[in-house]
Structure formats: C-alpha cells, structure tokens
Amino acid sequence: MFERMGSMIRKEFIQFFRDIPLVLIVLYMFVEVAVCGWALTMDYKNVSIAVMDMDKTEKSQELINQFRQSDKFQVTAYPMEEGELAELLDKGTVKMGVVIPANFSESLTRGEGATVQLVADGENSTMAAQAIGNSMEVIGTYSAEWINKKMGFDVLDQIPLKNIVRIHFASDLNYTHFVMISMVSITVVLLGILMAAAVFIREKESGTLEQLMVTPIRPGELIFAKMLPMSVIKMVGLTIGVSMSFVFFDVPIRGSLLLFYVLSLLVFISSSGLGIYIATVANTMQQALLLSFFVLFPLMFLSGTLVPVENMSPVMQWLSYFSPLRYYTNISMGIFLKGVGISVLWPDVLALVIIGGFLFFISLRRLKKQLA
C-alpha cells in the first residue's frame, strides 16, 4: 500500500508542478489579494461636493473652510443657483450639495439658529449616508465652535452626560484590515473548490481516469495523492497573501499563526470535498467552472464578508450556517484581530469538521461509483 501510495504521490507532484500556468495562477490569486486591499474600501474620502453660498459673508466662508479642511470632502464647484446645483448632481460631477441660505450670518448673530441644506446623490446609498453623516459632523463642529466663541467658554465641558467610547481589537477602525483578511479567506475556499475540480476533470478529459479505474488504487488514496501537491502550493500562496497583508497593510497577527495554517488546511480540505463532488458531476472543464461559480457566489454572499449576516433575512441567516466560508472568516478574524485561540474558536472548527466530513463522504461515494 505504501509503495503504491508513494508512486501515486510522486506522479501527482510531477504532473501538478509540470503545469506551470496552473501553479502561477494559484500564486497570483493570493498576490491579487493586495489589489483588493488598495481598491476595495467602504471609507469614502475626498467626496466631491458643491457649495452654494447664498449668504457670502465671513461666517459662511468659515463654514465652507470647515468642509475644505476635512479629508472627507473636496469642494469642486460653487453653483450660484439651485438649477446649476441640480445639473451638477444630474451629471454626477458632484455627489452632494451644501446650500447656505441668504440669512445664515444674520440668523446666527441674532441667536435664532440657521439652517444648512444638504442635497445628496442617493444613487450610491452607502456613500450618500456616509457623506451626510460626515457633513453633519462638520456642521456640528462649526456650531460648537460658534457657541464656544459666543459664550466665552467650552460648552461641552458643561454637559452633564458624557460618553466614553472603547473599541476592542481594531481601535483604528481600519476597514482595509477586514478586507484583506476576508479576501484571503475567500481565496482559500475558492482555490480549494476550483483546484480539486480542475485536477479530476483533467484526468477525465485526458482519458487517464479510465486507466486509474483498472489500477489497484483506491478512491481515498487517489484523493489524498492528488490533494497533497495542491496543499503544498496553496500553503506557499497563503504565506504570500499573509505576508503582503502584514507588510503593505499592517494587518496585525495577534493570535497563533501556526493555528491559522492548520485550520486553513482544514478549510482547504473541506472545500476540496466540494470541488471533487463537482468533478464527479461535470464532464468538461467548462461545466466544472460553471458549477463552481454556481456554488461559490452563494458561499460568499452567505459568509458575512460582503454583508453582515445579521442584516440578512431569517431564511438567509439560516442558510449561512451551511457556508464553510462563514466559519473560516470567523476563525481568521479571531486569530488575526482578536488574538483568540482554539478555546474560543472551537465551535467554528467543529462546524468546519462536520461540513468537510459530510462533503468528503458524499464525494468519495460518488468517486467510488465512477471508479467501480
């Protein structure tokens, strides 16, 4: 048995690493994670806005300067009338308009309170909500400075109720860290499915699967021999992805890196079970790719990496329990950002073992029927 396995593993290593484009694609998938870190962010900065100043006084200029000094906005236009502002929004030249009324300075001086109108482009609701929130912060800061100047002391010190904010695990609220860890997790699962499906389909298309049927090799031995070279190259790629996250984006590694690698290998094996099952259903590489994407997109949507699971409908939340990516994302976040160990992560690990075991069981069963 060991001699048979050794020969099979040696053959798979030679065959796998002879396919240079496939090896380069696997490594590139992890390098591409860095592109996601630079490109994917939900923190909107330098949002182009237009300011329509109908007051044209020193006080209105002070408010405009507050917007200019914020790194959240970039004042790019100064329309003179509402029609001009509407045209800028229609063309997409600006994403928000700030309208300062004609009696702005006079109302402030009389202590009556002034109103500043915000006109946002709701096409991108997330960006519009952030722009409105950041604008309210700018206006609130200006209001507080105006009251302090008028009263002659800091009014915030006189407020009886104050709050203290403490942020655990990611005190700088750097969204890039979440993106990088999520993308690494998605890549591990994606490659686990695609690579496993690809190597078995390649045997089918070249006709060598029929030759394997007449050899004494068993289905479990065949799967193990094929997964070993894939696991080696995936671990190399994972090291590249983690290193780039750490070097270029300062992603903290607070937990055990060894535990992360061990559990990543478990996820790779679990997702490979799904890839092998797809390979037993598909007959060509095109069919395998289409079936893989048919499975991959729901796995990503239900994992919580794109949308928080709590925001989903109850049915979608229930379905998310079947996504191994959901548990792997929890594990990755826990190890990298929280620094927790197996004592905290064991429910996610147990879920991965159950899902992976089930996928491998049904895949092995179908493969046995095909080799019989």
Side-chain angles (χ1 to χ4, degrees):
M1 173 189 169
F2 293 107
E3 186 179 350
R4 186 173 66 231
M5 281 291 296
S7 302
M8 190 68 193
I9 290 171
R10 191 162 52 251
K11 172 253 180 190
E12 290 299 330
F13 263 98
I14 294 172
Q15 188 176 10
F16 184 84
F17 286 98
R18 188 181 289 167
D19 195 347
I20 300 299
L22 180 62
V23 174
L24 292 178
I25 286 173
V26 172
L27 297 178
Y28 173 73
M29 289 289 286
F30 285 99
V31 174
E32 202 177 34
V33 168
V35 179
C36 297
W38 280 306
L40 298 181
T41 177
M42 299 299 283
D43 295 330
Y44 290 98
K45 293 181 179 178
N46 296 319
V47 175
S48 57
I49 63 172
V51 177
M52 191 169 77
D53 184 6
M54 300 170 69
D55 192 49
K56 298 188 184 305
T57 60
E58 184 181 346
K59 291 184 178 59
S60 66
Q61 281 301 314
E62 288 176 354
L63 177 59
I64 295 171
N65 285 336
Q66 294 274 358
F67 277 97
R68 287 199 191 105
Q69 292 167 7
S70 171
D71 65 343
K72 306 292 184 185
F73 300 107
Q74 193 174 5
V75 182
T76 58
Y78 298 90
M80 302 300 292
E81 54 186 19
E82 291 186 6
E84 192 178 345
L85 174 60
E87 187 178 349
L88 289 169
L89 288 168
D90 288 344
K91 291 180 178 176
T93 309
V94 298
K95 298 301 180 186
M96 194 181 71
V98 180
V99 181
I100 302 176
N103 59 348
F104 177 75
S105 177
E106 189 180 339
S107 299
L108 282 179
T109 304
R110 288 204 304 260
E112 296 174 352
T115 303
V116 175
Q117 185 181 14
L118 303 174
V119 185
D121 179 356
E123 191 176 32
N124 184 332
S125 59
T126 304
M127 185 182 71
Q130 280 198 24
I132 291 171
N134 292 331
S135 299
M136 292 174 69
E137 187 179 340
V138 170
I139 295 170
T141 302
Y142 177 79
S143 299
E145 290 177 359
W146 167 254
I147 294 171
N148 291 344
K149 192 186 298 181
K150 189 175 181 181
M151 301 296 289
F153 59 87
D154 192 347
V155 292
L156 293 177
D157 289 340
Q158 308 302 316
I159 296 176
L161 184 61
K162 297 180 180 178
N163 55 357
I164 299 175
V165 178
R166 294 177 59 192
I167 302 172
H168 285 217
F169 314 125
S171 57
D172 55 352
L173 296 178
N174 192 334
Y175 185 72
T176 305
H177 293 174
F178 176 81
V179 170
M180 292 301 296
I181 298 171
S182 299
M183 289 299 110
V184 168
S185 304
I186 290 173
T187 305
V188 170
V189 174
L190 185 146
L191 285 177
I193 296 173
L194 289 180
M195 289 173 66
V199 294
F200 278 93
I201 288 294
R202 186 172 55 189
E203 295 282 1
K204 275 187 175 180
E205 288 186 330
S206 61
T208 50
L209 192 61
E210 287 78 5
Q211 296 175 8
L212 290 171
M213 291 178 186
V214 296
T215 64
I217 194 79
R218 296 174 181 171
E221 297 170 357
L222 178 63
I223 291 174
F224 178 78
K226 285 195 172 294
M227 287 190 59
L228 200 56
M230 289 192 294
S231 302
V232 171
I233 192 65
K234 196 215 72 166
M235 286 299 158
V236 174
L238 185 61
T239 303
I240 294 173
V242 171
S243 301
M244 294 185 73
S245 302
F246 179 73
V247 173
F248 294 114
F249 301 98
D250 296 325
V251 175
I253 307 174
R254 299 195 173 101
S256 169
L257 204 53
L258 177 63
L259 178 65
F260 174 70
Y261 273 90
V262 171
L263 296 180
S264 296
L265 188 61
L266 173 65
V267 173
F268 183 68
I269 294 171
S270 300
S271 51
S272 295
L274 188 55
I276 294 169
Y277 186 84
I278 289 172
T280 61
V281 176
N283 293 315
T284 63
M285 192 65 79
Q286 288 85 351
Q287 289 179 2
L289 283 174
L290 288 174
L291 283 171
S292 298
F293 285 116
F294 181 77
V295 173
L296 273 170
F297 286 116
L299 288 183
M300 282 194 291
F301 295 147
L302 296 171
S303 66
T305 54
L306 303 178
V307 179
V309 175
E310 294 77 11
N311 285 13
M312 300 175 189
S313 66
V315 175
M316 291 294 110
Q317 289 188 31
W318 182 79
L319 289 174
S320 71
Y321 288 110
F322 296 99
S323 171
L325 187 54
R326 169 180 175 160
Y327 306 105
Y328 184 46
T329 303
N330 290 341
I331 289 171
S332 302
M333 295 293 173
I335 292 176
F336 277 87
L337 298 183
K338 296 181 180 179
V340 297
I342 195 69
S343 60
V344 174
L345 300 173
W346 71 265
D348 295 302
V349 177
L350 181 63
L352 280 176
V353 171
I354 294 172
I355 292 174
F358 174 74
L359 289 174
F360 252 95
F361 173 75
I362 58 173
S363 303
L364 199 63
R365 201 170 170 184
R366 278 192 64 87
L367 192 63
K368 272 182 180 177
K369 288 182 180 177
Q370 291 198 351
L371 292 179

